[in-house]
Amino acid sequence: MRPFVFTQAQNQEQALAAAAANETAKYLGGGTNLIDLMKEDVERPSELIEVAGLGFQEIKSNQNGGYTLGAMLSNADTANHPDIRRHYPLLSMAMLSAATAQIRNMATNGGNLLQRTRCPYFYETSMPCNKREPGSGCGARNGMNALHAIFGWNEQCVAVNPSDMCVALAAIGAKVQVQRVNGTTRTIDFSDFHRLPGDQPEADNTLQPNELITAIELPKPAFSKHYYYLKIRERSSYAFALISVAAGLQIENGTIVRAGLAMGGVAHKPWKLTRAEEFLTGKLPQTKNFEQAAELAMREARPLEDNEYKVEMGKKAIVRALTQAYEKNA
Amino acid sequence: MNKIDPWDSPNANDRQLSVDEAKILDQLGLTGDSRRKFLSRVSAASLSVLASPFFTAEVFGKAISNNPAASPEELLNVILVDLRVNDTVKPLQLDSRMTLLDALRERLQLTGTKKGCDHGQCGACTVMIDGKRKLSCLTLAATCKGKEITTIEGLAGEDDLHPMQAAFLKHDGFQCGYCTPGQICSAVALLDEAKEGEASYVTEAVGEIKEDIQLSEEEIRERMSGNICRCGAYNNIVQAIMEVQSGEETPARWEFASAEQMKKAKSS
Amino acid sequence: MKNTTPSGTGNPIDRVEGHLKVRGMAKYASEFPVSGKVYAQAINSTIAKGEITAIDTSEAEKQEGVIEIITYKNAEKLKRYDEELPSLLPDVIQPVLQSPKVHYYGEYVGLVVAETFEQAQYAARLVRFEYRTEEPRIHLDRQRSDAYKPEESSDYSRGDVAAGMAEADEKVEVTYHTPIEHHHPMELHAIIASWENGEVKAYASQQMIDNAAITIANTFQIPKEKVRVIAPYVGGGFGSKLHAKQHVILAIMAARKIGRPVQLTVTRQQMFTNTNFRQQNEQKMQLGAKKDGTLTALVHETLSHTSTYEEYQESCGTVSKMLYKVPNNKVSHRLVPLNLQTPFAMRAPGEATGSFALESAIDELAWKLKMDPIEFRIKNDTQTDPSNNKPFSSRLLTECLRIGADKFGWERRKMKPGAQQEGNWLIGYGVSGASRAAPYRETSSKVKLELKGGKVYATIQMDATDIGTGSYTIITQTASEYLDIPVDQVSVELGDSLFPVTPGSGGSWGAASYANGARVACMNAIRELNQKLNTDEDLSIQALLEKNELSSYETTGTAKPSEAFKKHSVYSFGANFAEVWVDKDTGMYRIKRMVNVGACGKILNPKTAFGQIIGGLTMGAGMVIAEQSRIEPKYGNFITRSFADYHVPVNLDLANIDVVFLPEEDKIANEMGVKGIGELGITSVAASIANAIFNATGKRMRDLPITPEKLIMAEPEPDAI
């Protein structure tokens, strides 16, 4: 690790001010991703501002009829919170599929949103990576890309977002609350929070410098009955997804009135399957409809040399996740 | 020491001590008669092994020199932390980069917590921080101010093993022993989590909330998947945990073929 | 002597060192509180082939705490190889930092020593290297035209395989692939090295103490007596700690240079690049059989690789020479030198991978013959080793298969793939036979007896290691049995080069060698004490000491393989049964249960023996599930560079395993009738799982690991579904 100044902020204002005063400072939450990347010499902050002690640990109901999650609350405490388990079991399930009990006890909700890609070209500092070192090229584009994107990639970057929590949040349709140094706040639609590589592959998200995530807003619960988070991976636990699908269905009188569907492991951001969601709305929860939704969802997939399998796997995963969601409590 | 310690050697008197060994004895406060008595019980290879419980249990706090390696001015960013480990507080001056894992191992001689990957990918460094299992390799020591850290050395009583330690021993829940402290810390925390009714990815209905749940084998396996055992003692680890959870004996899964089986196999 | 103590061999006592391990009190290499020690961090090359052209250490030198930076420019001159491509034997020299040449990505190019670990790691990042880069040779497939026959060839042939294939009614001609796999013991390779009065002292994580001392002595050109290696506990090895590797030399070199003890821990990432691996294999199999199941021909050709600076070959075909009675047999092995580090023995080298190919191919042929794969194997069982016509010392393969089949419920298996389903799961059963040589090597041991308070206390010393194998426990039990005293009056001291020499832990010879070594020392003590009294009474060890008016006594003993051993083929045998549930859509699968049967001589301690079997099965399950180290085609580095990329099995990947030991005491193998067990488990498991996947899906998965992506893209065999 490179040397850094360790700053323990006493309150939110101090944290924001410290960050504003040092453009190479970083906030430290659970550290599960940042400390690893610092050991790898990928992240090189000159200062760490510890934000774990600033509060933002609560889960409370919000004015939309939903709940708001504190950004500094651990993933474990969030996933196991009775209100989240009851009203957003899809989110709980996705969060519990991630990493391990130890890591979920450490990782924070805000930190999970900022989790960086697991692309080995990003991690290995001797190889080119536009995300780590803009302008150095994308090693994976014409290298080993079995684990990489099939949607939204470009020549600059083919990396995928590794989060499970974020896939569920995309399916549910969350918002991110952010605090700025001047005291103002802003709210970002989840679909606008993460971004595609574009010509700025180094930027994973649309946070502005020094902005601090304070909370995640969830809408009124819709998928508390029919939900499933399917995670396909190389071993049965403690592995990032090859492909994951978060599926939520709201079914009334036998008809789907609302569908929430997103995929992980396929793009630079959690990939919301908007067309499939729209297709399913008003349809019967039947296999042929699930299959058609999957076809629609995967129509625009552009696999790389090594990851053609993800198209096939993706279709099957969508059908399976929808089926499981439907059958749950059916 | 327990009488079946493999190094308990009756024949190790009057040998030359290295500087290190002499220093250990000094730090243990063993001089004169007690030093000779102590030495008569140990062999060369075992001295530092035997020393470790003394370091951790008895002289923790006074015998450890306050960082022999680096004086504060040598460090780029010195952090002062009162590290509370196993109910003992130790004031440390340390490099801001130092992880809790390295602080335990290199500064406090609490080497029971293991470094298996240093990147949060194996679980060998699992400790409990404020009662929750966490990875000490991804925890900066600087962030541990005011927190209660429990390591493997803090689980056992003076004479008795923690029930989980005893179950691991009985069920041979380890081989090389390197992942073991992390496994045991993880398993102890796991049963607390079950009491709290926490769910896992394999929990059938996440939305149904119950307390004090009895974990199935599948649940234990999922919840212990953050602790890698390359020797492959998983099955024995699961048996140990199930026995502690239920209080009922879990039978061994090995047997010898009977003479009858042998005869049948030969003749058919 | 008759065992009258309840704790002698054969009893499932808890590990005698277990209480230290569960308390975290067992001390591994980097945990000895050596005062004044400093920390080293090794630096790796970032090219796969070429030469260092410039080194800039200035930035690193300026950093706080940095004591020394060593590169090839200022490294101590070490003994270097006399020949090109020397064989990589366990006691080989390990020169390091001797030239600017780079042979593989990640080769050590420097070392930083600093007061603290954090300082050393940081400064190591700041040393700048410039390289002249050459095109590396890293593709086994593309470089296949460079394949050569190793000088010490393992090629073998009997009969006429072309004729054998011609007379076959059914044939299988297929190729199996296995990737590079890494050992990855949980304890990182580590050493604390110091020099005192011209002597080296090394707390080092090594499986073989004597070999490590020899490597160190030979590399530094000092007498072996001036090298002390200490490893009371080793956190797993699986072959990767068989010999002292370059980091051992680096730390010792640095300690001498700066005059202080140096601690060097190999990082998990460096354990991909600097502590060897199991090589990639391409195994071409040809098998033929008559309608009644009689094998007529078996060809096993392996293409693999070595490094460009050392030669290592592990013959995957060994198992094909001896496991079945087949008159026409050919085995060959070719190597391609690649710009990768030298492969080296990983648990069951040759057998683990070779058995995957052979036992999968046997299953394929049984399917073609429409024969039960167990009956097909039994049909071709033999009590004579067809490769050398020596009788097997004992061979219970048929019994393993039959007893396992009963225990497993094999009769419920449907021959037709996909015939058993439950929900989204396709259920398959698979079986595989196993064999693994049961070697036994010369082993010395010292026994010290002391009479105290009316009891005899014994201490056994040898330079053996316990790498998780249970050495402490079985040696304790052996001494307890042969001295006829309770186990808690026996102490065992291991892992120190001051103790009598043993072959160390590896190659499945540990238990047999250590136990017999301890046995001979104990028997020598009894014999010598009897001789002093000139009596042939059957006196207890206590009476012997008392009548001799001795309060203590010590002696040594050496066990050696017998003449009978050499006249036989000595192997352990086994069979593994797996039930696998394959998700019909996602490509994920679960190993639901396994039954393993082993005929491996006398079981010294069924509890620790069970651990060895399930450990092998777990690692073998890893071979199938996900383990693979993949090489970046342009840069030549491992793209699977961390434990997050290289997936070893986790707890949920396994399920319950029942192990049945067959009652067997093979007195030809050695006087105690003990055979090896550490590698038998891994030898049988991969094929049994792959065969179960075929039984579930009709898909023949011939390329390990069997990942979801491969399963999804694979097509069932035309006639299977």
Side-chain angles (χ1 to χ4, degrees):
Chain A
M1 256 187 257
R2 285 165 195 256
F4 58 85
V5 172
F6 181 78
T7 302
Q8 213 160 20
Q10 299 305 315
N11 53 47
Q12 193 181 331
E13 289 70 33
Q14 265 185 21
L16 286 159
N22 179 357
E23 59 182 46
T24 54
K26 281 208 171 260
Y27 297 119
L28 174 68
T32 53
N33 193 211
L34 182 56
I35 301 296
D36 176 32
L37 287 166
M38 287 170 69
K39 288 182 178 187
E40 294 276 15
D41 208 28
V42 173
E43 294 281 8
R44 301 169 176 184
S46 64
E47 180 178 359
L48 285 185
I49 303 161
E50 194 189 16
V51 293
L54 304 185
F56 307 111
Q57 303 264 359
E58 291 178 315
I59 290 180
K60 48 192 178 193
S61 51
N62 61 33
Q63 58 207 29
N64 309 322
Y67 286 79
T68 299
L69 318 176
M72 313 308 174
L73 192 63
S74 76
N75 285 180
D77 286 346
T78 306
N80 274 302
H81 193 281
D83 289 334
I84 301 306
R85 282 175 66 174
R86 271 189 210 107
H87 304 303
Y88 307 94
L90 177 60
L91 179 60
S92 284
M93 200 179 173
M95 294 181 85
L96 292 170
S97 79
T100 68
Q102 290 95 313
I103 292 171
R104 295 191 294 269
N105 277 335
M106 301 170 72
T108 61
N109 293 336
N112 198 314
L113 265 48
L114 303 178
Q115 210 182 149
R116 309 212 67 187
T117 184
R118 304 301 305 190
C119 174
Y121 293 86
F122 173 68
Y123 261 84
E124 179 56 64
T125 55
S126 71
M127 294 195 289
C129 172
N130 285 325
K131 186 177 281 298
R132 189 186 66 248
E133 201 180 326
S136 63
C138 174
R141 172 64 187 90
N142 296 304
M144 299 183 87
N145 47 37
L147 304 175
H148 292 72
I150 54 172
F151 293 111
W153 55 267
N154 63 16
E155 296 300 314
Q156 298 281 307
C157 181
V158 295
V160 298
N161 183 297
S163 170
D164 292 298
M165 178 190 187
C166 291
V167 180
L169 290 174
I172 290 167
K175 289 187 166 75
V176 182
Q177 288 179 7
V178 164
Q179 177 90 34
R180 292 158 143 172
V181 70
N182 60 11
T184 61
T185 59
R186 69 177 180 122
T187 302
I188 309 166
D189 262 351
F190 201 73
S191 53
D192 297 328
F193 183 81
H194 294 101
R195 54 186 298 287
L196 291 177
D199 53 7
Q200 233 191 323
E202 68 276 17
D204 298 344
N205 54 58
T206 54
L207 273 188
Q208 298 301 304
N210 314 325
E211 282 183 335
L212 182 65
I213 300 172
T214 54
I216 299 164
E217 252 177 60
L218 304 180
K220 192 162 176 269
F223 311 128
S224 54
K225 250 184 106 179
H226 300 286
Y227 64 90
Y228 198 76
Y229 187 73
L230 176 68
K231 186 171 181 181
I232 303 179
R233 41 187 161 175
E234 282 191 357
R235 63 182 174 194
S236 52
S237 190
Y238 203 0
F240 290 95
L242 295 170
I243 276 190
S244 65
V245 177
L249 294 172
Q250 191 177 351
I251 298 173
E252 283 172 15
N253 303 321
T255 303
I256 300 169
V257 297
R258 197 171 156 203
L261 208 55
M263 281 183 112
V266 292
H268 196 261
K269 61 189 285 187
W271 197 247
K272 191 163 174 66
L273 305 177
T274 313
R275 287 173 64 180
E277 288 176 347
E278 286 167 0
F279 169 81
L280 287 169
T281 308
K283 299 279 190 317
L284 298 175
Q286 291 172 340
T287 305
K288 68 173 173 60
N289 287 329
F290 296 160
E291 284 171 350
Q292 215 168 328
E295 285 296 331
L296 266 178
M298 301 307 285
R299 194 175 280 170
E300 283 159 29
R302 285 186 302 140
L304 299 158
E305 287 75 7
D306 299 339
N307 67 8
E308 200 127 357
Y309 75 93
K310 282 195 177 182
V311 180
E312 188 61 23
M313 186 183 277
K315 283 181 198 166
K316 289 181 164 165
I318 291 169
V319 176
R320 171 63 62 79
L322 286 167
T323 309
Q324 298 272 93
Y326 169 58
E327 286 173 359
K328 197 156 247 179
N329 296 313
Chain B
M1 289 299 289
N2 192 313
K3 63 185 171 179
I4 58 166
D5 184 276
W7 283 284
D8 248 3
S9 158
N11 259 343
N13 298 332
D14 302 321
R15 59 188 168 73
Q16 282 302 107
L17 293 179
S18 73
V19 178
D20 299 335
E21 291 165 342
K23 195 162 180 181
I24 292 169
L25 294 175
D26 289 342
Q27 286 178 338
L28 294 171
L30 291 168
T31 52
D33 266 357
S34 59
R35 187 176 188 126
R36 272 187 293 279
K37 208 168 147 194
F38 182 76
L39 278 176
S40 74
R41 299 284 300 147
V42 300
S43 71
S46 65
L47 185 47
S48 35
V49 180
L50 290 177
S52 95
F54 289 87
F55 272 123
T56 55
E58 291 170 31
V59 290
F60 182 63
K62 72 171 180 176
I64 314 297
S65 62
N66 201 357
N67 195 0
S71 62
E73 54 275 16
E74 279 177 328
L75 302 174
L76 281 154
N77 184 25
V78 185
I79 301 291
L80 296 174
V81 185
D82 287 343
L83 215 53
R84 174 183 280 275
V85 185
N86 302 333
D87 287 331
T88 309
V89 181
K90 177 71 187 169
L92 287 179
Q93 286 187 334
L94 42 82
D95 191 317
S96 61
R97 293 172 291 186
M98 189 173 240
T99 60
L100 174 60
L101 173 61
D102 288 321
L104 292 171
R105 287 173 64 84
E106 305 299 335
R107 296 290 294 281
L108 303 179
Q109 308 301 327
L110 289 167
T111 54
T113 306
K114 304 300 184 193
K115 184 179 280 193
C117 74
D118 214 17
H119 289 270
Q121 296 157 356
C122 79
C125 68
T126 302
V127 297
M128 281 175 274
I129 302 177
D130 290 339
K132 299 268 187 191
R133 50 175 160 163
K134 293 188 176 182
L135 300 177
S136 60
C137 77
L138 293 180
T139 302
L140 293 176
T143 64
C144 293
K145 284 181 189 171
K147 294 182 180 163
E148 176 65 50
I149 296 149
T150 306
T151 70
I152 189 73
E153 291 92 344
L155 286 183
E158 286 273 303
D159 300 313
D160 298 331
L161 294 175
H162 183 283
M164 193 62 78
Q165 290 172 315
F168 267 64
L169 182 56
K170 178 181 166 192
H171 287 280
D172 212 30
F174 55 89
Q175 289 173 34
C176 79
Y178 199 78
C179 74
T180 314
Q183 299 275 4
I184 291 174
C185 285
S186 202
V188 169
L190 158 74
L191 293 187
D192 289 342
E193 291 160 12
K195 278 206 182 74
E196 299 289 322
E198 290 189 13
S200 86
Y201 181 60
V202 302
T203 301
E204 196 53 47
V206 175
E208 281 173 30
I209 298 155
K210 293 176 215 154
E211 277 187 16
D212 217 354
I213 42 179
Q214 285 284 305
L215 300 175
S216 65
E217 183 196 319
E218 175 97 343
E219 283 275 14
I220 291 172
R221 287 186 183 277
E222 159 62 16
R223 291 163 192 247
M224 288 300 290
S225 282
N227 291 82
I228 289 172
C229 170
R230 188 59 162 158
C231 293
Y234 293 133
N235 285 18
N236 293 345
I237 290 168
V238 172
Q239 287 216 316
I241 295 170
M242 293 198 89
E243 185 163 307
V244 174
Q245 176 180 247
S246 68
E248 283 163 32
E249 194 145 336
T250 50
R253 303 295 294 245
W254 52 265
E255 65 191 53
F256 283 90
S258 65
E260 201 177 319
Q261 280 175 296
M262 293 296 286
K263 207 172 137 195
K264 187 186 162 208
K266 225 180 184 74
S267 61
S268 54
Chain C
M1 180 179 288
K2 203 162 167 268
N3 173 25
T4 55
T5 65
S7 39
T9 63
N11 291 298
I13 66 167
D14 296 341
R15 281 171 203 263
V16 296
E17 85 290 7
H19 68 289
L20 288 175
K21 286 179 174 173
V22 299
R23 285 171 183 263
M25 296 301 181
K27 285 274 181 197
Y28 300 82
S30 69
E31 299 174 351
F32 288 84
V34 176
S35 71
K37 75 178 176 186
V38 294
Y39 297 81
Q41 174 68 41
I43 309 171
N44 304 82
S45 76
T46 53
I47 64 162
K49 189 183 182 195
E51 200 167 298
I52 301 166
T53 54
I55 304 172
D56 179 2
T57 57
S58 57
E59 189 64 22
E61 278 164 10
K62 276 190 274 184
Q63 301 305 318
E64 297 292 345
V66 171
I67 299 165
E68 183 68 60
I69 298 169
I70 306 175
T71 67
Y72 83 92
K73 290 191 168 177
N74 61 346
E76 180 180 343
K77 292 295 162 244
L78 302 169
K79 168 78 177 157
R80 296 176 68 173
Y81 295 130
D82 299 324
E83 50 179 322
E84 219 178 298
L85 276 186
S87 284
L88 180 52
L89 301 170
D91 58 356
V92 74
I93 56 166
Q94 287 285 286
V96 57
L97 303 185
Q98 298 297 296
S99 99
K101 283 210 166 13
V102 174
H103 305 85
Y104 59 94
Y105 185 103
E107 185 170 0
Y108 292 134
V109 290
L111 185 81
V112 173
V113 187
E115 296 286 351
T116 72
F117 172 68
E118 292 77 17
Q119 291 164 339
Q121 279 217 319
Y122 172 49
R125 296 270 187 200
L126 299 177
V127 180
R128 300 269 167 257
F129 290 84
E130 282 174 36
Y131 298 98
R132 182 180 53 71
T133 309
E134 294 170 43
E135 185 74 24
R137 292 143 45 106
I138 45 180
H139 304 263
L140 182 59
D141 192 41
R142 283 186 223 161
Q143 254 84 36
R144 62 171 62 236
S145 62
D146 296 342
Y148 73 98
K149 183 173 163 181
E151 204 165 309
E152 272 194 44
S153 170
S154 53
D155 285 10
Y156 168 86
S157 148
R158 67 174 175 263
D160 180 343
V161 290
M165 288 302 282
E167 67 177 298
D169 296 316
E170 290 292 349
K171 293 173 200 172
V172 165
E173 292 179 75
V174 286
T175 301
Y176 298 90
H177 295 269
T178 58
I180 290 176
E181 293 157 4
H182 277 85
H183 311 74
H184 282 309
M186 291 312 296
E187 184 204 9
L188 301 166
H189 288 244
I191 174 171
I192 304 173
S194 56
W195 286 80
E196 273 171 45
N197 309 319
E199 298 188 5
V200 175
K201 186 171 173 189
Y203 296 97
S205 189
Q206 298 294 142
Q207 294 176 231
M208 297 180 174
I209 298 296
D210 196 50
N211 280 340
I214 293 169
T215 292
I216 294 166
N218 290 350
T219 308
F220 286 95
Q221 306 256 279
I222 55 174
K224 193 183 117 185
E225 293 66 42
K226 293 201 178 291
V227 179
R228 170 114 181 260
V229 177
I230 303 166
Y233 292 104
V234 179
F238 316 114
S240 78
K241 295 171 180 170
L242 286 176
H243 68 74
K245 302 205 190 290
Q246 289 182 337
H247 67 275
V248 168
I249 305 303
L250 278 176
I252 294 170
M253 184 196 279
R256 178 185 256 181
K257 193 159 191 153
I258 67 166
R260 288 172 70 180
V262 170
Q263 175 170 328
L264 175 57
T265 302
V266 174
T267 65
R268 186 55 69 183
Q269 281 78 353
Q270 286 171 335
M271 282 176 61
F272 285 90
T273 50
N274 303 88
T275 55
N276 304 106
F277 51 67
R278 193 201 295 279
Q279 75 288 349
Q280 181 186 348
N281 296 302
E282 181 186 296
Q283 300 178 70
K284 205 173 145 198
M285 307 295 293
Q286 287 175 273
L287 281 75
K290 291 190 178 162
K291 275 200 182 96
D292 68 353
T294 309
L295 276 169
T296 57
L298 171 51
V299 182
H300 192 152
E301 296 169 301
T302 306
L303 178 69
S304 189
H305 53 100
T306 185
S307 68
T308 60
Y309 57 96
E310 284 164 339
E311 181 180 291
Y312 174 76
Q313 62 166 327
E314 66 174 49
S315 177
C316 297
T318 302
V319 64
S320 286
K321 295 192 288 194
M322 52 63 65
L323 192 54
Y324 297 111
K325 182 174 59 191
V326 49
N328 307 299
N329 178 219
K330 188 176 158 230
V331 166
S332 73
H333 198 242
R334 296 292 176 270
L335 294 175
V336 178
L338 294 179
N339 288 108
L340 295 171
Q341 60 168 323
T342 317
F344 198 56
M346 177 167 159
R347 203 169 196 169
E351 288 92 348
T353 44
S355 289
F356 165 64
L358 175 63
E359 290 297 288
S360 295
I362 288 283
D363 197 74
E364 297 206 30
L365 192 49
W367 165 252
K368 286 201 167 177
L369 291 162
K370 299 292 169 225
M371 243 182 121
D372 181 279
I374 292 177
E375 294 311 316
F376 181 40
R377 286 179 173 88
I378 290 172
K379 173 93 186 165
N380 294 287
D381 193 13
T382 173
Q383 290 296 317
T384 304
D385 183 342
S387 73
N388 55 18
N389 292 318
K390 290 181 186 176
F392 286 107
S393 59
S394 60
R395 170 166 164 140
L396 298 174
L397 180 64
T398 291
E399 287 82 348
C400 288
L401 288 162
R402 290 223 193 282
I403 289 171
D406 279 353
K407 173 90 184 165
F408 184 75
W410 184 256
E411 77 280 359
R412 292 197 299 274
R413 175 182 183 264
K414 310 267 187 293
M415 195 178 285
K416 184 86 177 155
Q420 270 198 79
Q421 293 199 23
E422 198 170 312
N424 292 315
W425 299 101
L426 305 170
I427 300 169
Y429 287 8
V431 65
S432 161
S435 69
R436 161 70 204 176
Y440 163 48
R441 298 199 168 180
E442 180 170 323
T443 298
S444 297
S445 163
K446 179 184 274 186
V447 59
K448 296 174 170 184
L449 301 170
E450 196 177 19
L451 188 58
K452 263 191 315 199
K455 283 181 179 175
V456 176
Y457 293 85
T459 302
I460 304 285
Q461 290 180 332
M462 53 176 93
D463 80 356
T465 52
D466 190 329
I467 60 173
T469 37
S471 308
Y472 281 114
T473 310
I474 57 156
I475 296 166
T476 299
Q477 288 178 273
T478 302
S480 158
E481 176 172 330
Y482 284 88
L483 295 170
D484 200 10
I485 57 175
V487 276
D488 59 5
Q489 284 162 235
V490 179
S491 305
V492 175
E493 298 180 2
L494 305 179
D496 193 324
S497 55
L498 294 180
F499 300 154
V501 173
T502 74
S505 297
S508 286
W509 58 64
S513 305
Y514 301 161
N516 279 288
R519 173 186 60 85
V520 172
C522 293
M523 288 173 64
N524 284 354
I526 292 166
R527 185 173 42 80
E528 288 164 20
L529 290 168
N530 264 311
Q531 275 169 358
K532 284 179 197 289
L533 294 173
N534 207 9
T535 169
D536 52 3
E537 280 178 76
D538 189 12
L539 296 171
S540 71
I541 191 72
Q542 184 180 339
L544 282 169
L545 286 169
E546 283 166 356
K547 291 207 170 184
N548 273 297
E549 294 180 7
L550 288 168
S551 63
S552 67
Y553 185 73
E554 74 175 60
T555 189
T556 58
T558 299
K560 292 178 189 168
S562 67
E563 285 305 308
F565 183 98
K566 292 167 197 160
K567 288 179 190 154
H568 289 78
S569 269
V570 184
Y571 284 82
S572 293
F573 291 91
N576 198 62
F577 296 78
E579 177 177 330
V580 180
W581 290 34
V582 185
D583 188 299
K584 66 182 174 60
D585 295 322
T586 66
M588 287 187 80
Y589 57 93
R590 295 286 300 279
I591 301 160
K592 279 284 173 176
R593 64 189 180 99
M594 293 198 273
V595 168
N596 186 278
V597 187
C600 24
K602 180 181 171 68
I603 301 300
L604 291 166
N605 180 328
K607 188 179 280 196
T608 57
F610 177 74
Q612 286 297 293
I613 292 287
I614 63 169
L617 293 177
T618 303
M619 195 174 274
M623 287 173 70
V624 184
I625 294 167
E627 286 188 44
Q628 61 176 328
S629 295
R630 307 175 73 203
I631 300 157
E632 213 290 334
K634 189 168 169 197
Y635 301 95
N637 58 314
F638 285 114
I639 201 85
T640 42
R641 52 182 296 291
S642 76
F643 248 12
D645 312 306
Y646 184 91
H647 290 143
V648 303
V650 295
N651 203 318
L652 188 61
D653 286 320
L654 272 292
N656 268 317
I657 302 171
D658 288 300
V659 173
V660 183
F661 297 114
L662 301 193
E664 181 185 62
E665 286 196 24
D666 188 335
K667 298 285 178 162
I668 294 167
N670 50 68
E671 287 78 351
M672 291 176 72
V674 180
K675 297 204 284 195
I677 198 168
E679 294 167 291
L680 189 64
I682 193 172
T683 301
S684 56
V685 63
S688 69
I689 296 169
N691 294 342
I693 288 174
F694 173 76
N695 186 237
T697 63
K699 296 176 182 181
R700 280 292 176 195
M701 306 306 292
R702 303 186 183 103
D703 181 5
L704 295 184
I706 305 174
T707 57
E709 99 182 51
K710 287 183 195 166
L711 258 179
I712 276 196
M713 301 308 272
E715 292 294 333
E717 295 292 295
D719 57 343
I721 296 286

